[in-house]
Amino acid sequence: MEHHQLWITGVVNKLLGKYVAAVLAFLHIKASDPAHPIPNHIAVELVVILLAVVFFGWLRTRLSVNRPGIMQQLCEMLLTNPMGIGARDLLDDIIGHHGRSFLPVVGGVGLFVLFCNLISIIPGFESPTANITVTIGCALVAVSYYHYSGIRHHGARRYLKQFLGPLLPMSPLMVIIETVSHGARILSLSVRLFANMFVSELLYGVFLGLAMLAFSAGWNLSPVVGGMILLFPLTFPILFIGLHIFVAVLQGFVFTLLPIIYLSGAVAEEH
């Protein structure tokens, strides 16, 4: 059971909890908390999806070629920018001319990870990506998609043949090596994202708590001392929010870059 329930989790459980409980009972799955079967990370994920749908639905009505707004320009920077690190830039550079066909899935997963990373900036929310089950799910989607793309591009027989290696006598060993290698990609994607987001939120909470303790101790000594120490609780959140935003954006970029690299290997002609 989670250490505490977010307010939004209570709202989501009130709206959808009984339906989820019914589905779990039908599947003979026992919820850790039958009264609240939807945990924090699932509830916040649903909120992220809802906010993304509303935001992009609103943005679509404001798109303009001649007079793009600030929000449109910021979103276009995620696709292409002067630094060449937008999703479309990476697809063009790493995969080539047909790379843009992968943009909906790669970009969608990348944006989902980015929004999940950033939502904890809003008071009362936690990053779903600070939960290992969420990051494993995202990694499985990315890895499954590049295998699917490789099979669709080359055909199942030709794509799977790469797992056997160039020499038939070494095929059993190559199958083991390739299986471990591709499995390690799931571990790499999921653990990296989970660890960074978990530590980022933990650092923010710990240092904010220490700053508040210092303020409380100073206030007990003297209101003047407490007032001076109050600068730390007011400053630390700003510093760590900035750090959290940096980590969130960086990990969103990494979770976009690595699947593109894996895709380039899966659809490369030398397969």
Side-chain angles (χ1 to χ4, degrees):
M1 188 178 298
E2 296 185 341
H3 59 284
H4 72 284
Q5 185 184 85
L6 301 176
W7 68 271
I8 191 63
T9 305
V11 174
V12 173
N13 272 289
K14 187 174 181 180
L15 295 174
L16 304 175
K18 60 180 180 181
Y19 305 108
V20 172
V23 172
L24 292 177
F26 177 77
L27 297 174
H28 302 287
I29 299 174
K30 184 178 180 181
S32 57
D33 184 0
H36 304 92
I38 303 175
N40 285 341
H41 61 278
I42 298 296
V44 179
E45 282 184 288
L46 293 174
V47 173
V48 167
I49 294 172
L50 178 61
L51 291 176
V53 170
V54 172
F55 171 73
F56 287 113
W58 167 82
L59 181 63
R60 183 180 180 184
T61 63
R62 301 175 64 86
L63 294 178
S64 173
V65 176
N66 299 321
R67 299 181 61 184
I70 295 177
M71 192 59 65
Q72 178 181 338
Q73 295 180 55
L74 289 175
C75 289
E76 288 177 352
M77 292 283 285
L78 296 175
L79 293 175
T80 180
N81 53 66
M83 295 182 290
I85 58 174
R88 196 170 67 189
D89 297 327
L90 295 173
L91 287 167
D92 290 342
D93 292 341
I94 297 174
I95 298 179
H97 65 280
H98 65 289
R100 295 188 184 187
S101 62
F102 305 114
L103 181 60
V105 175
V106 172
V109 174
L111 283 176
F112 175 75
V113 169
L114 177 62
F115 292 160
C116 284
N117 292 349
L118 290 172
I119 196 169
S120 60
I121 296 172
I122 303 174
F125 286 86
E126 294 178 353
S127 295
T129 41
N131 186 291
I132 188 64
T133 59
V134 175
T135 60
I136 289 177
C138 293
L140 286 173
V141 171
V143 171
S144 299
Y145 181 66
Y146 82 73
H147 282 308
Y148 162 77
S149 299
I151 292 173
R152 186 180 63 176
H153 186 79
H154 298 288
R157 183 176 180 179
R158 186 181 171 198
Y159 178 73
L160 295 175
K161 188 178 179 180
Q162 67 172 303
F163 291 88
L164 301 178
L167 300 175
L168 187 59
M170 297 185 63
S171 294
L173 178 60
M174 290 303 300
V175 169
I176 295 175
I177 293 174
E178 289 289 341
T179 301
V180 172
S181 174
H182 288 274
R185 293 178 178 182
I186 299 175
L187 186 65
S188 173
L189 282 171
S190 58
V191 173
R192 179 189 294 107
L193 178 59
F194 157 72
N196 278 277
M197 297 312 303
F198 179 80
V199 171
S200 179
E201 291 203 346
L202 183 63
L203 283 175
Y204 173 75
V206 167
F207 279 95
L208 179 61
L210 290 174
M212 293 305 297
L213 285 174
F215 165 69
S216 178
W219 186 267
N220 290 333
L221 291 174
S222 167
V224 176
V225 175
M228 295 174 62
I229 297 178
L230 181 61
L231 293 174
F232 290 97
L234 293 177
T235 305
F236 272 27
I238 297 174
L239 295 176
F240 280 93
I241 286 174
L243 177 62
H244 183 75
I245 292 174
F246 173 76
V247 172
V249 173
L250 178 61
Q251 290 306 310
F253 170 75
V254 170
F255 213 95
T256 303
L257 174 63
L258 290 181
I260 291 175
I261 294 174
Y262 300 155
L263 268 168
S264 69
V267 302
E269 290 303 326
E270 56 265 25
H271 285 285

